[in-house]
Amino acid sequence: MTVHIDETTGPPGRPPAPPASSGGSEPPAPPEFRLPTWRLALTVGVVVLGGLLFGFDTGVVSGALLFLKDDFQLTSFQEGAVISSLLLGAAAGALWSGRLADRWGRRRTLIAVAATFTLGLLLATVSAGFWTLVAARVVLGLAVGSASSLVPLYLAEVAPARLRGRLITVNQIMLTAGILVSYLINLWFAGDADWRAMFGAGLVPSVVMLIGLLFVPESPVWAARRQRERADGNGSGNGSGNGSGVPGGDRAGEPGRFAAPRGMLYEPVVRRALLIGLTIGAVQQFAGINTIIYYAPSIMSRAGLPATNSIMYSVAIGVANLLMTVAAIPLVDRAGRKPLLVGSLVGMAVALVPLGFALNGVFGGASHLVSLVSMGLYVSAFAVGIGPVFWILSAEVFPPAVRARGAALCALVNWAANFVVGQLFLPAADALGEAAVFWFFAAVCVAALVFVLRVVPETKNRSFDAIQRDLEAGTAAARRKRRAASAPAPAPMPTHSPAPVPAPGPLPVAHD
């Protein structure tokens, strides 16, 4: 029996929402089939190990690289390749994960992701040289990119609307915890310079995730769409039912093919969802978060603070990131997504301005202290807002027929922006100075603030159908506004003065 979660209702006290008019409306789940609390907790606990491995594989290389570069005699270019190969693999994984999740189902795709994590960590642990290590990092990148979009997507589809934001934020907590755990493991094995053990430690959660996924349910949303497509196909007999109300969709009854028609990505509502998801995904990286995560010790050293132990500084940043992400859990479903985005962007912009001045030495001997405080405030503002909220929105704003592909595209843009910023930060800092670069990040935050205030809807405690209706209403309003702006102004009515009436002439005289 398929387990369903009732997503047709909004917050307590609100009447059930009618189906959205969008072609990809949510199939109503029978309310009698609910996931028990204990099983929901177990399911979330297993699936968010993908977030933990996401963070672990991103952060572990920072410590391992200190030692493996001597073992393999790596050049600076090769060191950069070891780091960037994961980002390129992640972009590819994010690109394909949505299509696979639509064809195979969320659960089976997540099992493949866990197996990929395990394979990549094994390859990294036994690497015999540079090329083997790069191959291992590409494999890990495929898993990281897939997990970055699929884990929030799966959590969004199994969670009740009132808990959806908090459960997706648990994944973000596990991501930041994974980064922190990787730093602590690096610290633990640094004394022995055992970089293989640093990578090998990740095998524990990857194997636990692989085994645990065998016992979690399929996404009720995907399962309901599959059942409806099969019923439509059996009922019509023409093989044209697609379960999404979109003509020309996948043929019903064909196992594993539940992808939406490609043209649906160009529908107005989906375009608006893409605008929101892709923009917030790019802003999350172009606001500079990974320059702080990757280069914090170098930044503090240039500000005058002796960087005698780079791993310890990384641990401090990781602790701040984790604590503020935990603080976001009760806020995403109480304060809402949009207020958190606004507060986060304001806090990040405010923190980046004094950081730039400190890097210019404006504060003299206190510059290193100002830098440290500014980075702490910046990371805190990021972790409580745009850090988790981006992943929540990317799993919420798309219609079900394109939700997996839409979330995958958002993750792809996020990883591509991550790669671009990571590659350009040091050259830009050398050419323009670190202060100018961080002020650019502050300007990005201000521009994003305007975008959020004008475009991003509030989604807290909203069913998927209600979110789609909000997007449709916003799309229709924007269309009317554009029409009104482009319509020619009506010509003024001509004003004609009445023609003058000629004065009567003399009456004719009658003659006899």
Side-chain angles (χ1 to χ4, degrees):
M1 179 177 64
T2 304
V3 179
H4 292 280
I5 296 294
D6 183 10
E7 279 294 343
T8 60
T9 59
R14 180 178 295 171
S21 59
S22 170
S25 61
E26 206 74 43
E32 63 271 23
F33 296 135
R34 291 179 178 272
L35 202 61
T37 301
W38 67 268
R39 195 175 184 196
L40 178 63
L42 181 63
T43 298
V44 172
V46 170
V47 172
V48 296
L49 288 175
L52 179 77
L53 289 163
F54 174 177
F56 178 87
D57 291 319
T58 301
V60 70
V61 72
S62 63
L65 199 60
L66 296 174
F67 309 107
L68 65 85
K69 68 180 180 181
D70 295 328
D71 288 357
F72 294 159
Q73 298 296 305
L74 300 183
T75 65
S76 57
F77 174 80
Q78 289 174 322
E79 289 183 49
V82 169
I83 294 176
S84 61
S85 55
L86 181 137
L87 302 179
L88 294 176
L95 178 64
W96 285 100
S97 60
R99 184 181 296 271
L100 294 178
D102 278 337
R103 288 175 179 265
W104 296 355
R106 302 351 181 190
R107 175 176 168 270
R108 280 189 288 180
T109 307
L110 283 170
I111 291 173
V113 169
T116 307
F117 271 125
T118 304
L119 175 62
L121 287 165
L122 279 172
L123 285 175
T125 303
V126 302
S127 291
F130 166 70
W131 289 109
T132 311
L133 186 60
V134 168
R137 295 284 289 172
V138 170
V139 172
L140 286 172
L142 292 172
V144 166
S146 300
S148 67
S149 64
L150 287 181
V151 172
L153 172 68
Y154 178 87
L155 293 175
E157 291 184 343
V158 301
R162 59 187 176 83
L163 296 177
R164 191 167 58 232
R166 273 173 275 189
L167 293 185
I168 298 177
T169 304
V170 170
N171 178 62
Q172 184 71 13
I173 289 174
M174 295 298 283
L175 191 161
T176 56
I179 295 174
L180 179 58
V181 167
S182 72
Y183 292 158
L184 292 173
I185 287 176
N186 289 344
L187 189 61
W188 180 267
F189 291 108
D192 298 327
D194 192 350
W195 59 267
R196 294 184 188 275
M198 296 176 184
F199 284 116
L203 287 168
V204 176
S206 72
V207 172
V208 172
M209 180 183 179
L210 181 59
I211 296 173
L213 283 170
L214 300 175
F215 302 97
V216 304
E218 179 55 85
S219 157
V221 174
W222 186 86
R225 288 186 57 218
R226 177 181 182 179
Q227 291 171 357
R228 188 172 66 174
E229 289 177 13
R230 286 180 171 176
D232 288 348
N234 293 335
S236 63
N238 57 13
S240 62
N242 63 359
S244 62
V246 182
D250 294 326
R251 290 170 296 176
E254 186 174 351
R257 296 187 61 86
F258 305 101
R262 183 173 301 177
M264 192 175 177
L265 289 172
Y266 302 101
E267 290 187 357
V269 175
V270 181
R271 288 204 307 266
R272 187 174 179 85
L274 281 172
L275 174 65
I276 294 168
L278 299 183
T279 301
I280 301 299
V283 166
Q284 193 197 57
Q285 296 300 323
F286 280 108
I289 181 59
N290 279 321
T291 62
I292 301 292
I293 298 296
Y294 297 154
Y295 302 109
S298 300
I299 294 169
M300 289 185 284
S301 179
R302 296 187 187 193
L305 192 67
T308 56
N309 193 330
S310 60
I311 295 180
M312 286 302 298
Y313 290 138
S314 299
V315 169
I317 295 294
V319 168
N321 197 5
L322 175 60
L323 292 178
M324 294 309 297
T325 306
V326 171
I329 287 184
L331 295 178
V332 290
D333 286 321
R334 292 182 183 175
R337 285 57 151 164
K338 191 167 184 174
L340 286 184
L341 277 177
V342 171
S344 177
L345 291 168
V346 169
M348 291 162 64
V350 169
L352 287 168
V353 173
L355 178 59
F357 284 118
L359 292 172
N360 272 344
V362 171
F363 301 106
S367 291
H368 66 279
L369 180 60
V370 174
S371 296
L372 195 58
V373 172
S374 297
M375 284 193 290
L377 291 174
Y378 173 88
V379 169
S380 298
F382 174 89
V384 81
I386 194 172
V389 171
F390 159 64
W391 299 107
I392 296 172
L393 286 176
S394 67
E396 287 182 326
V397 295
F398 293 98
V402 293
R403 186 172 296 138
R405 292 193 189 185
L409 284 173
C410 293
L412 171 64
V413 168
N414 185 263
W415 282 108
N418 187 347
F419 178 79
V420 170
V421 172
Q423 294 298 306
L424 296 183
F425 173 69
L426 289 179
D430 290 338
L432 304 174
E434 291 97 337
V437 174
F438 283 108
W439 290 336
F440 168 78
F441 293 152
V444 170
C445 292
V446 173
L449 177 63
V450 176
F451 174 84
V452 168
L453 290 172
R454 297 187 61 180
V455 178
V456 177
E458 181 53 72
T459 62
K460 75 165 183 174
N461 294 338
R462 303 283 282 163
S463 70
F464 288 132
D465 281 341
I467 293 171
Q468 292 309 304
R469 288 197 301 274
D470 292 343
L471 290 175
E472 288 173 355
T475 302
R479 193 184 300 120
R480 287 193 299 268
K481 188 174 181 180
R482 286 195 300 269
R483 280 203 212 100
S486 60
M493 293 294 294
T495 55
H496 298 288
S497 55
V501 178
L507 293 174
V509 178
H511 298 280
D512 291 335

